Amino acid sequence: MSDMVTTVHVPANDPAPLGIDLSTRLAGVYFPNPVFTASGCAAAGQELGQFFDVARLGAMVTKSIMLEPRSGRPTPRMAETPSGMLNSIGLQGPGIDAFLQRDLPWLAERGARTVVSIAGSSVEEYGRLAQRLRGRPGLTMIEVNISCPNVEDRGQVFACNPRTAADVVTAVRRASSVPVFAKLSPDVTDIVAIAEAVVTAGAEGLSLINTLLGMAIDTHAMRPVLAGVTGGLSGPAIRPVAVRCVYQVHAAFPDVPIIGMGGIRTGVDALEFLLAGASAVSVGTAVFGDPHAPVRVVDELRTALAERGVTSVADVIGRAHRDPATYVPEGPDPVEDPA
Ligand code: SIN
């Protein structure tokens, strides 16, 4: 398969190893490379800090934080599925006070660029969270999680309705001192309409996509596997859905920066998202099997670009939208029909 890449490990402090410029800009903010963690898969980074220097990534995206500490949904709340994973964590977390006292300073001390994901159960709560984050050292951007599928009431999935999605973004935008990215759900009829609503409300960028609502049933116990019954599906199984969402939204709003995510395991997977129109990517579920996955993806992406004769990430962002008429499929030349 042409997807196989040979990884070349290079020192973290070399600005353009192999002559490849991996840097990217989102809403005017510079990132040395386009590979971020995905919210929810590495808490506030300490777990991954034992495997690699968290400042090596473009950014660390923290687990969605709420105003109050929260224990989440009952167990079992994770399940393996074909090429994927279901979770029904229910936004477990320490609450904003502990996060500001312990977690954000830990990331700032290590020089990580931090995207703080926030989640609330009302518009007002989102606004208060943004207010608490204002001016905090180490805060680079806010990701507004309006798309968690594991809430008590589907009405709380603000991203499923353009008006509620926009209301949340307006409240956060008003209170925030840094760029605001809205994280959207693929579980909607028209993700472009939701994107338009949040961008009009002031979001500087979009995170695409959160998990898809799914469920699994234990055929021996004859009941749902997850105690919460339903959960969010992530992993390679959702990658084509995520790539489609990024592609559609980039086609509609080419100037709005997108962080793409959904089943990224390799540098080539990351490249697929960039080609669809993402300016950065988040690696999530892959870290459960390989905690080094995000830094490995940085190295593999560099190699994948070099192999394709590309010298800069900026040159591939949205490139799959160009000239569909000149598309040449990969693979051997077709064999002439001898007849
Ligand atoms: C959860 O904590 O339930 C997952 C959060 C999310 O998918 O947004």
Side-chain angles (χ1 to χ4, degrees):
M1 268 300 273
S2 58
D3 274 5
M4 297 292 285
V5 292
T6 318
T7 303
V8 180
H9 291 277
V10 292
N13 56 2
D14 185 342
L18 297 185
I20 311 284
D21 179 4
L22 285 184
S23 69
T24 190
R25 274 182 188 277
L26 288 91
V29 181
Y30 168 89
F31 297 89
N33 69 67
V35 182
F36 300 4
T37 52
S39 173
C41 298
Q46 287 96 333
E47 285 93 337
L48 293 185
Q50 55 188 304
F51 296 100
F52 60 84
D53 171 8
V54 291
R56 279 188 65 191
L57 294 182
M60 297 293 292
V61 185
T62 57
K63 166 78 180 161
S64 300
I65 197 76
M66 300 190 80
L67 277 178
E68 302 298 333
R70 189 174 158 109
S71 53
R73 277 180 160 182
T75 57
R77 51 191 193 177
M78 284 171 97
E80 209 172 321
T81 60
S83 293
M85 190 186 88
L86 282 169
N87 89 79
S88 74
I89 305 300
L91 295 167
Q92 179 188 346
I96 191 72
D97 289 339
F99 177 81
L100 291 178
Q101 206 172 23
R102 181 192 63 201
D103 297 331
L104 192 54
W106 185 90
L107 287 157
E109 279 160 24
R110 277 149 192 85
R113 290 148 294 277
T114 301
V115 179
V116 175
S117 171
I118 58 172
S121 47
S122 67
V123 170
E124 192 230 337
E125 217 173 298
Y126 280 97
R128 285 174 59 200
L129 282 160
Q131 191 66 47
R132 296 291 311 278
L133 286 165
R134 231 185 135 78
R136 298 284 174 167
L139 174 70
T140 306
M141 299 198 314
I142 290 179
E143 183 175 87
V144 192
N145 183 0
I146 47 176
S147 46
C148 173
N150 303 322
V151 288
E152 289 81 17
D153 161 15
R154 281 306 281 173
Q156 276 181 278
V157 185
F158 298 96
C160 289
N161 177 318
R163 189 181 49 76
T164 53
D167 287 348
V168 171
V169 168
T170 301
V172 175
R173 181 59 279 154
R174 201 174 282 146
S176 174
S177 51
V178 292
V180 170
F181 275 54
K183 185 166 184 179
L184 303 189
S185 169
D187 289 336
V188 291
T189 309
D190 183 3
I191 196 163
V192 173
I194 309 288
E196 180 172 20
V198 295
V199 168
T200 305
E204 279 92 351
L206 301 164
S207 296
L208 304 175
I209 55 175
N210 207 321
T211 54
L212 284 85
L213 187 66
M215 106 177 251
I217 294 176
D218 181 328
T219 52
H220 291 289
M222 301 196 186
R223 59 170 186 252
V225 172
L226 298 171
V229 182
T230 57
L233 180 65
S234 61
I238 74 164
R239 202 166 67 235
V241 176
V243 170
R244 180 268 298 175
C245 289
V246 171
Y247 189 92
Q248 284 182 325
V249 172
H250 182 76
F253 307 108
D255 297 330
V256 174
I258 296 172
I259 307 171
M261 69 211 71
I264 295 174
R265 274 190 313 190
T266 68
V268 171
D269 297 342
L271 176 58
E272 190 181 6
F273 277 82
L274 299 176
L275 292 167
S279 297
V281 298
S282 280
V283 177
T285 305
V287 302
F288 293 110
D290 173 12
H292 292 101
V295 279
R296 177 175 50 70
V297 169
V298 176
D299 290 338
E300 290 178 355
L301 175 62
R302 182 184 295 112
T303 307
L305 293 174
E307 286 177 343
R308 287 155 180 79
V310 176
T311 54
S312 145
V313 157
D315 289 344
V316 290
I317 294 171
R319 184 129 157 207
H321 292 257
R322 283 192 223 157
D323 269 348
T326 59
Y327 170 70
V328 180
E330 271 184 42
D333 291 337
V335 178
E336 288 284 320
D337 185 348

